[in-house]
Amino acid sequence: MKKNRIFTNIIDQGPVTLKAAQTRGDWGTTQEILSKGSQWIQDQVAQSDLRERSHGGEYVAKKWEKREAAYIVINACSNEPGSGTEKYLLRYEPHKVIEGALLIGAALGAHTCYICIRGEYLQEREILESALEEVREKNLLGQFQIYIHEGAGGTLCGEETALLESLEGRKAMPRVNGDRKLYGCSAVIHGVETVATIPEILRRGAPWFASLGTLHSKGTKLFSLSGHVETPCVVEEEMGVSLKELIETHGGGVKGGWGFFLAVIPGGSSTGFLPKEICNDLCLDFESLERVSSCLGTGGIVVMDKSTDIVRVTARLAQFYQQESCGKCTPCRVGTGWVFQLLERLSVGQGEKEDLDQLQDLLQRMSETSLCAFGGWAAAPVVSLLRYFQPELEHRIHMYNVASKRVKV
Amino acid sequence: MSKAFTQIEQALSKTQRFSFTKESLIQIEKIKRKYPESKPESALLEILLLAQRQNEGWISHPALEAVAVGVNLPVMKVLEVASFYPLLSLKPVGSHCVRICTTTACWLKGSTDLGRACQKWLGIGWEETTVDGMFTLKEVPCLGDCTKAPAVQINETLRGNLNAREMTHLLQALAESVKK
């Protein structure tokens, strides 16, 4: 695995100057790659079967279907709980992000790239800015322009049209028509990790990348391990690695041992929980997670041991989604608040069994009728709670009713 | 909703003066150059953040007006955007802003204890400012540093792996440094 790692500096945590990046191999053959033309880059990326490294995992070649775009937008704006990979990339591999942006720009004939970064990421912004400064001084970008756009964050910015709205200086609300255009021109939006992977694919060739991973998920992926593990970290592994192995070799194991393991969030909060029974032999790739109705998402793995009150965790997440909902469409605005209130009550068992049915109904409506994907993201953790931990909820309701003497034991 | 409106009212009622410093004006020109000439409104968010940094961490009504002139938009449009993003504050904040992440990863590692310790030591609740105007305590969604949970951002520096005792020590040190 070591020789196949793309982001070596995330482990080494060395300096991030242009010189240091060049010794790691960045900017080495960029001019050569550029001289091969846009068609070659597009073909290589298509052959490598690269998929977007966030949310649905859309094929990059499919995103490039139109084969040209005026703007490239890089999304470093979404603050989905549990995903620390974005920050590490900006902090330790800024040159890969910039080089990737340049190569995508060349492939699609774009003239400008905006890197949208959260206002909270002050340190990362400075690092990126000084990296850009160095690159401009050496005239490595040519006519291509890369700018940093400082946004004010919001999970909603993970939704592409909302990000574009925010970039155009309006409230980050999704567009009704789903129009993915910036200033009326065509734009292509990518996550940071996808962009930073591209230079290495072009340098080592698509066959190398396609030889790694599983049938439908090629290459390597960054995973961030947090929560109840001995040593939380960000690590790069081949797609299809088993969750247990990842936690035990890199995270130092679950606190209290594997037997004390309760559940995991496999890729940022919008992917829901997976209980221990499923995690025992779970592999981390797009198709395996899809099979258990989850999603690889951003690779932000949050581990929870048996001391965790899973209903309270869900209630806390529901509160987070309520605060983050933009309020444009009713199912999401009203739904997120309603779900939060119900869960607050249910976390102490105050409720009836009928409340669970109501919750189910509400979640279905939220994910089906919301304007953008956010409704589905907000519903996912609660849906998985009902799917895997319903007995726990029922037990709490029963205990509460016994304690308040409404039913006999 | 009513909370947002009181915030807006507060912003409107303040009769403070605000004008961009020379350095800020140069900065604004630089920011605007990043976007197409016909779309100065793209610069709005960054200029708002700039104004907030210059104006002790919050955006007063005069500051809103100054920003509106800068990007050539009506004040109402600027207020609309300013009231939407949680990073922008429309009411005065203390000279030290303590933001505690309380979402999943940090919550599992005891951010509730941190929050409680801060509330006890400062004698204020979430989103409140101490009477002497020294500290503001904020509960924020994910700061993006889940591997160093629980994460806390004090002013512009990010701290990780804190416990309640270390947190109160930090606050104490901050309070003392101001007194000196």
Side-chain angles (χ1 to χ4, degrees):
Chain A
M1 178 59 215
K2 216 169 180 186
K3 67 175 187 340
N4 286 330
R5 274 208 181 113
I6 298 174
F7 309 111
T8 47
N9 200 37
I10 283 187
I11 309 274
D12 301 339
Q13 307 201 342
V16 289
T17 54
L18 180 59
K19 226 175 152 189
Q22 276 169 335
T23 55
R24 288 194 291 269
D26 297 347
W27 295 109
T29 48
T30 318
Q31 294 307 323
E32 211 175 290
I33 294 167
L34 288 176
S35 67
K36 286 180 185 168
S38 60
Q39 190 60 44
W40 184 82
I41 302 179
Q42 286 185 11
D43 290 344
Q44 285 289 309
V45 171
Q47 276 169 32
S48 73
D49 267 348
L50 175 69
R51 292 176 77 165
E52 189 71 38
R53 261 91 177 100
S54 58
H55 294 303
E58 210 179 331
Y59 283 96
V60 172
K62 202 174 165 234
K63 274 194 164 177
W64 292 3
E65 234 170 16
K66 286 192 184 137
R67 296 183 169 269
E68 53 181 13
Y71 291 99
I72 309 292
V73 180
I74 300 177
N75 182 6
C77 235
S78 66
N79 61 339
E80 204 183 333
S83 33
T85 52
E86 205 170 68
K87 207 166 186 171
Y88 270 71
L89 273 173
L90 295 171
R91 205 183 287 162
Y92 299 116
E93 296 281 14
H95 281 284
K96 284 213 168 68
V97 179
I98 296 169
E99 200 187 348
L102 173 67
L103 292 172
I104 297 175
L108 300 175
H111 53 77
T112 310
C113 166
Y114 290 109
I115 303 177
C116 300
I117 189 166
R118 279 176 69 195
E120 283 98 335
Y121 290 4
L122 290 156
Q123 203 195 341
E124 286 71 21
R125 190 204 147 118
E126 269 169 36
I127 292 171
L128 201 60
E129 215 144 67
S130 59
L132 260 180
E133 205 57 48
E134 274 185 296
V135 171
R136 278 199 201 113
E137 251 171 47
K138 290 265 159 34
N139 203 17
L140 291 168
L141 294 181
Q143 293 295 310
F144 192 60
Q145 297 289 348
I146 299 180
Y147 297 116
I148 298 172
H149 172 85
E150 196 174 1
T155 307
L156 202 74
C157 287
E159 162 57 40
E160 294 187 350
T161 55
L163 178 71
L164 292 176
E165 283 287 293
S166 160
L167 186 55
E168 286 186 4
R170 290 189 285 272
K171 294 188 278 186
M173 286 179 167
R175 289 174 184 165
V176 180
N177 53 8
D179 184 15
R180 283 178 175 72
K181 278 188 173 163
L182 180 64
Y183 307 128
C185 302
S186 54
V188 165
I189 304 153
H190 285 299
V192 185
E193 201 183 330
T194 320
V195 174
T197 313
I198 284 177
E200 204 67 15
I201 296 177
L202 298 178
R203 254 197 294 275
R204 297 204 207 178
W208 162 76
F209 192 79
S211 71
L212 300 170
T214 62
L215 186 61
H216 295 292
S217 335
K218 306 288 188 202
T220 61
K221 167 100 187 73
L222 282 175
F223 295 101
S224 108
L225 279 170
S226 57
H228 292 142
V229 285
E230 292 292 343
T231 49
C233 61
V234 171
V235 68
E236 188 183 349
E237 264 296 342
E238 206 174 316
M239 283 274 195
V241 64
S242 103
L243 176 72
K244 195 174 173 184
E245 190 192 316
L246 192 77
I247 292 173
E248 278 171 2
T249 47
H250 300 290
V254 182
K255 278 197 172 157
W258 188 258
F260 203 51
F261 176 74
L262 177 74
V264 74
I265 298 177
S269 56
S270 67
T271 56
F273 307 104
L274 292 175
K276 194 188 166 203
E277 308 88 85
I278 289 178
C279 294
N280 281 328
D281 47 5
L282 182 73
C283 288
L284 293 167
D285 52 62
F286 290 108
E287 58 268 33
S288 302
L289 282 160
E290 246 161 60
R291 229 174 286 138
V292 290
S293 320
S294 184
C295 170
L296 187 62
T298 52
I301 300 168
V302 185
V303 179
M304 283 166 272
D305 69 16
K306 280 194 176 143
S307 68
T308 317
D309 182 345
I310 192 102
V311 190
R312 286 251 16 114
V313 172
T314 324
R316 186 68 197 79
L317 271 177
Q319 188 189 6
F320 165 79
Y321 279 112
Q322 183 204 8
Q323 287 163 351
E324 291 286 310
S325 170
C326 75
K328 186 163 183 165
C329 68
T330 317
C332 179
R333 183 184 61 237
V334 179
T336 46
W338 201 346
V339 168
F340 168 56
Q341 281 172 14
L342 267 171
L343 279 173
E344 270 289 282
R345 280 201 288 119
L346 286 171
S347 68
V348 289
Q350 195 183 354
E352 301 295 332
K353 273 192 185 155
E354 287 73 48
D355 284 346
L356 299 182
D357 297 333
Q358 194 194 10
L359 196 57
Q360 192 91 58
D361 182 49
L362 201 59
L363 292 167
Q364 198 184 351
R365 275 164 213 257
M366 244 167 83
S367 43
E368 277 172 13
T369 57
S370 291
L371 193 57
C372 71
F374 190 86
W377 299 344
V382 195
V383 169
S384 64
L385 178 82
L386 287 178
R387 187 182 301 141
Y388 300 117
F389 297 96
Q390 183 137 3
E392 168 71 28
L393 282 167
E394 282 169 5
H395 174 71
R396 279 188 199 201
I397 293 169
H398 180 70
M399 291 310 281
Y400 181 85
N401 284 342
V402 169
S404 58
K405 294 196 181 101
R406 276 196 274 172
V407 285
K408 282 188 185 128
V409 184
Chain B
M1 272 315 265
S2 65
K3 202 173 157 195
F5 276 120
T6 40
Q7 274 184 14
I8 292 162
E9 267 168 34
Q10 271 176 345
L12 290 173
S13 66
K14 295 283 173 195
T15 46
Q16 275 197 341
R17 281 192 194 178
F18 179 89
S19 62
F20 282 110
T21 58
K22 242 184 198 160
E23 295 84 53
S24 299
L25 285 173
I26 297 169
Q27 196 73 32
I28 289 174
E29 281 312 306
K30 234 170 136 185
I31 294 170
K32 275 205 220 161
R33 241 177 286 144
K34 294 198 284 190
Y35 308 100
E37 242 170 82
S38 55
K39 308 278 179 192
E41 61 269 25
S42 267
L44 177 56
L45 255 176
E46 266 186 79
I47 296 176
L48 275 170
L49 284 165
L50 192 74
Q52 176 163 293
R53 270 173 213 144
Q54 199 197 309
N55 193 44
E56 292 161 357
W58 70 291
I59 299 167
S60 59
H61 190 250
L64 280 177
E65 279 175 349
V67 173
V69 173
V71 288
N72 207 3
L73 278 176
V75 183
M76 213 51 200
K77 280 266 181 212
V78 179
L79 180 62
E80 191 186 348
V81 171
S83 59
F84 182 79
Y85 293 98
L87 189 61
L88 301 165
S89 176
L90 287 172
K91 59 177 186 183
V93 293
S95 43
H96 295 293
C97 195
V98 181
R99 296 159 190 271
I100 302 180
C101 173
T102 55
T103 332
T104 331
C106 292
W107 187 85
L108 290 171
K109 289 299 206 60
S111 67
T112 322
D113 291 344
L114 283 192
R116 232 177 263 141
C118 285
Q119 285 176 341
K120 198 176 154 206
W121 199 84
L122 296 169
I124 52 172
W126 292 120
E127 315 298 322
E128 284 177 10
T129 306
T130 49
V131 187
D132 57 1
M134 193 120 79
F135 289 100
T136 299
L137 189 61
K138 282 191 176 184
E139 190 181 20
V140 292
C142 201
L143 288 168
D145 233 348
C146 307
T147 50
K148 292 194 183 124
V152 177
Q153 193 180 24
I154 301 171
N155 297 327
E156 303 198 334
T157 43
L158 196 75
R159 305 290 295 256
N161 295 328
L162 289 170
N163 63 29
R165 229 182 73 219
E166 285 164 346
M167 188 71 222
T168 31
H169 281 312
L170 268 178
L171 291 179
Q172 223 153 12
L174 264 180
E176 272 161 22
S177 72
V178 174
K179 266 180 210 154
K180 273 174 197 166

